[in-house]
Amino acid sequence: MIKKTLNEKAFHLLKEKMEQGLLPQWVITDPDIYDLEIEKIYGHTWQFLGHETEIKEPGSYVTRWMVNDPVLLVRTRQGEVKAFLNSCTHRGTQLCTADRGNKKTFTCPYHGWSYNLEGELVGIVAGNKVYGEEMDKSEWGLRPIPQVASYQGMIFGNLDPNAESLEDYLGEMKWYFDILLGRSGGMEVRGLPQRWVAKANWKATAENFAADPYHVQTTHRSTVEMGISPEDPLYAGYGHQVVMKNAHGINVITSKTGKARVPFQGTPESMWPLFEKHLTPEQLDIQSKVTVFVGGVYPNLSFVSPIHGTEGHLHNYLNFRMWRPIAPDRVEVWCWFLIDKAAPEEYKEDSYRGYLGSFGPSGTLEQDDTETWARIVEVSKGLMMRDKELNYNSVSNYLMGYSHVKPDENFPGPGTAYPTTYIDALSRKMHEHWLELISKDMFEKEVSR
Amino acid sequence: MSLNVQNKVTADIHLEITNILNMEAYYLDNRKYKEWLELLADTITYRMPLRETVEGVGVSNIAEDSSFFEETKTSLRTRVNRLYTKSAWVENPSTRQRHFITNIYVEATADPDEYKVRSYFLFMRSRASTSDIEQMFGERHDIIRKIDNEWKICSRTIYPDQSVITTMNMSMFL
């Protein structure tokens, strides 16, 4: 089926257009492309599962999804983090449907098989009497997620046992994670992630969030009308867009002067010595100048660390969101709020309120984003857009900064840093990487590279 | 001396409170957000925690540490003011929405001017020319008080029944 509609010619045309800074629009919600993405991207890349502070105690667990694979993420009695397919090995039934909890054993409601925190099958109802010697319990433990690793408290899983290690996969992004997550000695998650289903394609949401500060001045114009954001249409464009290996990226948005509008993103002064302690001079330099960090880990984890104010107070927080694809035109968004463990309790509470006012489904900024996401997928099914031969020139424009913006060699962080965030460099990189991954082993001659 | 005997919920009180909640729904469904704000006490706490899936019998499935809304009158006013700008795209063009408020149960408190009110909501919304209808449902717990001879909502906690919200955003008030 996929072979039939996705031929080599369509892929070569795709590649040709992408090299010109154009993305054919038929790929956005094409169902065959979607199937390929799930198999070839999500089957082999590192997916975010949760943060270590979500499973603090021995026996703590959360249930998560790697697209359609249910995951049980636990802290064992020895304090180790483990992840299993959340499915009973007997008949495949989903083992645990709770969002979180703390337990010693997980028992399947179907026939009563139970497993401990190590994933070992420890109980079978009437086991000895009905199975006899032909069944060895040690062969029927929960299936582990092939690779699980964490960096700065962020736990990831990978379904491909042969995929490169998490640290290699994150590459240059580790340096920025050290700032975002490590600046004060560690972050903590508050509560559960908010979850909602948006009308959107995961590629568009990931790009919108990680790579597109240019949308801020129009999509979020209401904040300008209300006098919260500056009138200057370039206000979200000052700073650097950094493009990294594996299509990860970050925008370090500063201000017109290149200096911070508020020192250290409005964090309490009591925390600043911690930043000096935990960051290198180069990292501290960036943290001291930044207004907003916004970026993403390919394919579907995005983050923002902004400054927001409600009722006269300014504060900062870290928000991670995972775009779980559930259909070509649907994404289930998982949105986590993180704050420095070392922050004063009152500040944590204020920051949480600031987050709720800005991001997540009830956040005023994100509400407007959901409208544009929906408008992209709602028009993506027409014949003009679906035409793979591009007779109607249905291509999206990624030409911003395509040829004239050169990297800034003096930027202190790793990656290729462009001296503006109004640039499509990261978007292009994300889409090029996407093509490379989905077309891998598809044709005799590789399409990409 | 029992409170229930002293402070009864009369038919008049029940009717007045029901009318306030119906008036509120009318304001929200007709984009009269500034009028809506007038129904709220200046000291209102307006909350919406998450609902979670929890194992066990007789345990709470309200995630009290996680929210969609944790609002004051000031932050609600900011949200309302935004909806009167030209560029709050989520509501321009405006969505069409209805709040169906039912199962209103009024309970007296020690204060004869203050009542605990529980109601169910079904929120439905239509957007642009899509045929999909979005909905959300759940329960609201309010404190409604008579202040200077006017009924004001002094606190509201909204409990959604879904752990995964299926409206594409939460630009509505509930």
Side-chain angles (χ1 to χ4, degrees):
Chain A
M1 179 66 192
I2 285 173
K3 282 271 179 191
K4 199 168 130 199
T5 64
L6 299 179
N7 57 37
E8 209 165 334
K9 192 179 155 205
F11 270 73
H12 278 288
L13 193 54
L14 198 51
K15 183 163 188 269
E16 189 186 308
K17 290 292 172 187
M18 286 170 66
E19 280 169 354
Q20 298 161 16
L22 307 168
L23 182 69
Q25 289 166 337
W26 67 266
V27 305
I28 297 294
T29 56
D30 184 87
D32 292 333
I33 285 282
Y34 180 79
D35 289 346
L36 265 187
E37 289 168 350
I38 301 308
E39 183 190 324
K40 298 211 167 183
I41 298 177
Y42 289 92
H44 301 278
T45 51
W46 286 89
Q47 314 290 307
F48 180 59
L49 296 176
H51 189 262
E52 284 179 358
T53 56
E54 291 183 275
I55 44 168
K56 276 190 221 159
E57 310 297 329
S60 294
Y61 70 88
V62 291
T63 54
R64 297 285 142 94
W65 293 87
M66 295 170 79
V67 188
N68 295 316
D69 287 276
V71 177
L72 182 60
L73 183 67
V74 302
R75 174 127 4 224
T76 66
R77 295 180 81 167
Q78 284 73 39
E80 264 183 284
V81 170
K82 293 206 168 176
F84 305 101
L85 191 69
N86 184 9
S87 161
C88 180
T89 55
H90 177 225
R91 288 288 199 273
T93 315
Q94 187 179 357
L95 185 61
C96 178
T97 57
D99 293 318
R100 61 178 170 182
N102 189 296
K103 285 159 77 113
K104 289 194 182 82
T105 53
F106 294 88
T107 302
C108 179
Y110 196 2
H111 302 88
W113 286 28
S114 45
Y115 307 85
N116 65 14
L117 295 163
E118 304 288 336
E120 295 159 338
L121 178 62
V122 290
I124 302 176
V125 174
N128 292 337
K129 288 186 187 126
V130 292
Y131 283 98
E133 280 177 9
E134 52 269 36
M135 209 190 80
D136 177 358
K137 275 199 289 195
S138 71
E139 288 174 4
W140 294 93
L142 292 177
R143 289 154 280 186
I145 300 303
Q147 291 201 64
V148 180
S150 70
Y151 188 78
Q152 286 285 9
M154 302 285 285
I155 308 163
F156 291 78
N158 198 316
L159 298 179
D160 181 353
N162 301 314
E164 65 180 329
S165 73
L166 175 65
E167 294 217 11
D168 287 346
Y169 182 73
L170 290 174
E172 297 135 330
M173 184 57 95
K174 286 192 296 173
W175 196 87
Y176 298 94
F177 266 25
D178 291 344
I179 305 178
L180 291 163
L181 292 142
R183 65 182 189 184
S184 62
M187 306 293 273
E188 62 189 21
V189 164
R190 169 156 171 169
L192 287 168
Q194 298 166 322
R195 291 166 67 184
W196 83 102
V197 176
K199 282 187 172 186
N201 176 270
W202 71 271
K203 296 189 288 298
T205 52
E207 173 200 299
N208 167 243
F209 217 88
D212 184 15
Y214 180 52
H215 83 280
V216 171
Q217 36 87 31
T218 304
T219 306
H220 306 305
R221 176 147 182 91
S222 68
T223 62
V224 179
E225 279 193 64
M226 292 174 70
I228 297 167
S229 299
E231 277 284 351
D232 176 6
L234 284 169
Y235 79 89
Y238 301 114
H240 289 82
Q241 180 170 93
V242 188
V243 180
M244 301 171 217
K245 178 194 144 180
N246 288 332
H248 312 318
I250 191 169
N251 296 276
V252 181
I253 303 174
T254 54
S255 71
K256 194 169 184 174
T257 62
K259 298 215 174 81
R261 284 191 216 133
V262 184
F264 293 109
Q265 298 184 288
T267 49
E269 217 169 319
S270 63
M271 292 172 62
W272 300 353
L274 290 173
F275 300 166
E276 283 170 30
K277 183 180 157 198
H278 290 280
L279 301 178
T280 66
E282 293 78 16
Q283 289 169 329
L284 190 67
D285 178 49
I286 289 179
Q287 176 70 74
S288 70
K289 289 176 181 157
V290 72
T291 302
V292 178
F293 286 116
V294 60
V297 173
Y298 198 81
N300 67 333
L301 181 69
S302 304
F303 56 81
V304 61
S305 165
I307 303 176
H308 284 297
T310 53
E311 301 174 33
H313 301 284
L314 285 176
H315 40 249
N316 164 246
Y317 52 83
L318 177 61
N319 163 228
F320 270 92
R321 67 257 321 293
M322 195 256 288
W323 316 104
R324 176 190 171 201
I326 52 174
D329 61 355
R330 287 287 188 285
V331 165
E332 185 184 295
V333 194
W334 291 58
C335 228
W336 286 262
F337 170 88
L338 292 91
I339 190 78
D340 305 74
K341 283 180 195 168
E345 289 306 314
E346 198 186 332
Y347 180 83
K348 290 179 186 177
E349 189 62 35
D350 268 359
S351 292
Y352 191 58
R353 287 168 179 260
Y355 160 71
L356 296 177
S358 313
F359 289 102
S362 50
T364 53
L365 297 178
E366 190 133 8
Q367 288 172 18
D368 291 329
D369 286 319
T370 65
E371 175 67 24
T372 57
W373 304 339
R375 290 195 194 190
I376 291 172
V377 296
E378 271 160 4
V379 297
S380 69
K381 290 155 200 165
L383 292 176
M384 286 178 74
M385 276 206 191
R386 292 292 303 274
D387 175 33
K388 295 185 177 72
E389 291 178 9
L390 306 179
N391 292 308
Y392 309 96
N393 199 31
S394 294
V395 289
S396 287
N397 179 320
Y398 288 89
L399 291 171
M400 193 165 51
Y402 178 58
S403 56
H404 71 280
V405 181
K406 301 292 173 228
D408 176 358
E409 304 297 339
N410 295 321
F411 186 75
T416 307
Y418 295 90
T420 172
T421 69
Y422 285 2
I423 185 170
D424 288 326
L426 179 54
S427 296
R428 287 195 298 268
K429 173 79 176 184
M430 289 166 80
H431 299 317
E432 281 160 16
H433 192 59
W434 164 84
L435 180 62
E436 188 184 322
L437 293 179
I438 62 163
S439 62
K440 204 176 166 199
D441 307 325
M442 194 160 174
F443 309 108
E444 276 182 29
K445 224 175 81 189
E446 243 183 280
V447 172
S448 195
R449 271 215 270 215
Chain B
M1 190 169 68
S2 157
L3 293 175
N4 292 337
V5 175
Q6 195 180 34
N7 298 326
K8 275 179 100 171
V9 179
T10 63
D12 280 352
I13 294 288
H14 198 283
L15 186 61
E16 282 181 39
I17 287 176
T18 303
N19 273 346
I20 285 294
L21 294 182
N22 285 336
M23 178 59 88
E24 181 194 18
Y26 174 81
Y27 285 156
L28 290 174
D29 295 344
N30 289 275
R31 305 179 61 77
K32 294 178 186 295
Y33 296 116
K34 287 180 179 164
E35 289 83 347
W36 174 67
L37 275 181
E38 293 303 310
L39 295 177
L40 313 181
D42 290 341
T43 54
I44 188 170
T45 54
Y46 180 97
R47 304 187 57 230
M48 182 170 182
L50 267 63
R51 186 79 77 164
E52 65 176 306
T53 308
V54 182
E55 279 191 0
V57 178
V59 291
S60 166
N61 60 7
I62 308 296
E64 287 291 355
D65 56 356
S66 322
S67 309
F68 291 117
F69 290 105
E70 287 294 341
E71 308 299 311
T72 61
K73 183 90 177 249
T74 308
S75 68
L76 287 171
R77 184 171 285 118
T78 303
R79 288 178 182 270
V80 162
N81 288 344
R82 200 185 84 88
L83 294 173
Y84 288 88
T85 65
K86 286 180 232 155
S87 49
W89 308 118
V90 68
E91 290 293 337
N92 179 17
S94 64
T95 59
R96 283 82 58 179
Q97 53 179 339
R98 293 287 159 197
H99 291 72
F100 298 97
I101 306 300
T102 66
N103 301 57
I104 297 168
Y105 179 74
V106 182
E107 216 178 321
T109 68
D111 179 346
D113 284 332
E114 186 174 295
Y115 294 85
K116 280 164 83 170
V117 184
R118 185 175 69 213
S119 56
Y120 292 1
F121 70 89
L122 170 63
F123 170 85
M124 298 185 81
R125 183 166 75 177
S126 167
R127 178 188 150 275
S129 58
T130 62
S131 54
D132 308 352
I133 292 168
E134 295 186 297
Q135 50 186 337
M136 190 188 294
F137 46 93
E139 189 170 317
R140 306 185 305 186
H141 291 190
D142 296 344
I143 301 283
I144 296 183
R145 191 185 299 148
K146 202 166 235 181
I147 302 172
D148 298 334
N149 227 24
E150 281 182 31
W151 290 107
K152 298 279 182 187
I153 302 165
C154 296
S155 104
R156 167 160 297 164
T157 308
I158 304 147
Y159 299 107
D161 285 338
Q162 292 157 296
S163 63
V164 182
I165 299 298
T166 52
T167 54
M168 61 186 240
N169 55 59
M170 294 170 70
S171 65
M172 75 297 273
F173 299 105
L174 294 161

